Amino acid sequence: MAQAESLVNALKNLLKARGITYAQLAKGLGLSEASVKRIFAERSFTLERLDQVCTLLGIQISDLARMVVAEQPVPSRLTEEQEKKLVADPKLLLVAVHALHQWTLEEIVSSFATTQAECIRLLARLDKLGILDLLPNNRIRVRVAPDFSWLPGGPIQQYFRAQLRNDFFNSHFDKPGEKMIMVSGTLSEESNAAVQRAMNRLSAEFLAAHQQDLALPLERRTGSAMIVALRPWSPAHFQQMRRQKQQ
């Protein structure tokens, strides 16, 4: 199979796994649905177009290439059952999150209150759950795509939302390494879509920086979280004062 065909097939599998239709992709690219279908059918991707599609999906072309090399479907999300198992055991969740962030066994043990034997048992459970492979010499190979994300509204997101309310936003965001920007305004559907594309690019930059910095020693890296959100919204008491439209 030609490499170009393999890349396109990997891209189609990724779109299917995420439930993204050609119509949705076309809207993000500013093309007609027929044009997108033709590009996929003829495999007539330019490098620029392939980069645009990957950016919309929040991945790099190199990530797509790694999926092809793996020669097997790589999920970008866990199942709800897998997430429930993680949430039910805080220490298992801790090890899972850091393993998915490419931490080694030694780095996890040196940073958290767990013994090597306990950490290996937890990694073995994650192996049984299908989240990672525990290899010889206790090396870790994750079984998820580079653009991995938690299920929208799933058990993990619900868990972290509680942490966000009680901890993450309990800051003035004025210390080194902290920043929060909040803006508001009125957007058309087209402008909203454009901002969402910019958000996807920012997400891709964050993930690319994460991958690049994995080569640095642990003491030079800090666990970081970035939240960028956009939705039609105004405060509830604003909504309550809206004038009712005449019938």
Side-chain angles (χ1 to χ4, degrees):
M1 183 181 293
Q3 291 185 9
E5 185 175 357
S6 297
L7 283 172
V8 173
N9 286 339
L11 192 56
K12 290 167 68 175
N13 289 335
L14 186 57
L15 290 171
K16 183 177 180 181
R18 294 194 179 182
I20 298 175
T21 65
Y22 283 152
Q24 292 170 321
L25 183 61
K27 186 175 181 179
L29 293 172
L31 299 173
S32 68
E33 183 178 355
S35 295
V36 170
K37 287 182 176 179
R38 184 171 60 254
I39 290 171
F40 273 85
E42 298 175 355
R43 295 177 172 81
S44 56
F45 279 87
T46 62
L47 188 59
E48 181 181 2
R49 183 68 71 196
L50 184 61
D51 183 62
Q52 289 175 340
V53 175
C54 287
T55 298
L56 285 172
L57 294 174
I59 65 171
Q60 302 288 310
I61 295 178
S62 57
D63 296 331
L64 195 63
R66 280 193 287 272
M67 295 177 196
V68 173
V69 172
E71 295 182 348
Q72 59 182 358
V74 182
S76 57
R77 290 174 182 162
L78 302 183
T79 66
E80 184 171 3
E81 187 61 29
Q82 287 172 317
E83 289 198 359
K84 284 181 178 179
K85 294 281 180 63
L86 296 181
V87 170
D89 187 333
K91 188 160 281 190
L92 184 66
L93 176 60
L94 179 142
V95 173
V97 167
H98 289 84
L100 291 172
H101 288 168
Q102 306 291 332
W103 283 42
T104 65
L105 168 70
E106 293 75 20
E107 289 172 337
I108 296 173
V109 171
S110 67
S111 300
F112 299 101
T114 181
T115 65
Q116 179 170 310
E118 181 184 33
C119 192
I120 291 173
R121 286 195 297 271
L122 293 168
L123 289 169
R125 287 176 59 188
L126 294 171
D127 186 312
K128 189 174 181 180
L129 283 172
I131 295 172
L132 55 78
D133 293 316
L134 185 56
L135 304 175
N137 299 319
N138 298 318
R139 292 181 296 110
I140 302 168
R141 179 174 63 199
V142 298
R143 297 189 198 174
V144 297
D147 64 327
F148 169 81
S149 61
W150 303 112
L151 285 171
I156 300 292
Q157 279 203 358
Q158 291 179 38
Y159 170 84
F160 281 119
R161 280 174 185 165
Q163 303 300 311
L164 291 174
R165 287 194 296 268
N166 300 327
D167 183 34
F168 186 86
F169 287 113
N170 186 26
S171 171
H172 294 295
F173 290 90
D174 57 357
K175 298 177 182 177
E178 296 185 346
K179 187 176 184 65
M180 182 173 74
I181 298 174
M182 181 175 178
V183 293
S184 62
T186 55
L187 298 178
S188 65
E189 183 178 341
E190 294 76 16
S191 293
N192 184 293
V195 173
Q196 289 194 42
R197 289 195 293 272
M199 291 165 66
N200 284 332
R201 290 193 294 272
L202 181 59
S203 173
E205 288 181 16
F206 182 98
L207 291 172
H210 163 70
Q211 291 293 329
Q212 176 181 314
D213 288 352
L214 289 174
L216 299 174
L218 183 60
E219 56 269 19
R220 290 193 57 194
R221 292 180 279 138
T222 303
S224 302
M226 180 181 72
I227 298 174
V228 182
L230 174 71
R231 56 170 291 206
W233 177 87
S234 63
H237 68 276
F238 283 15
Q239 295 286 356
Q240 293 166 3
M241 291 188 290
R242 289 185 69 90
R243 187 183 302 278
Q244 296 298 314
K245 293 182 178 179
Q246 298 294 328
Q247 298 294 329

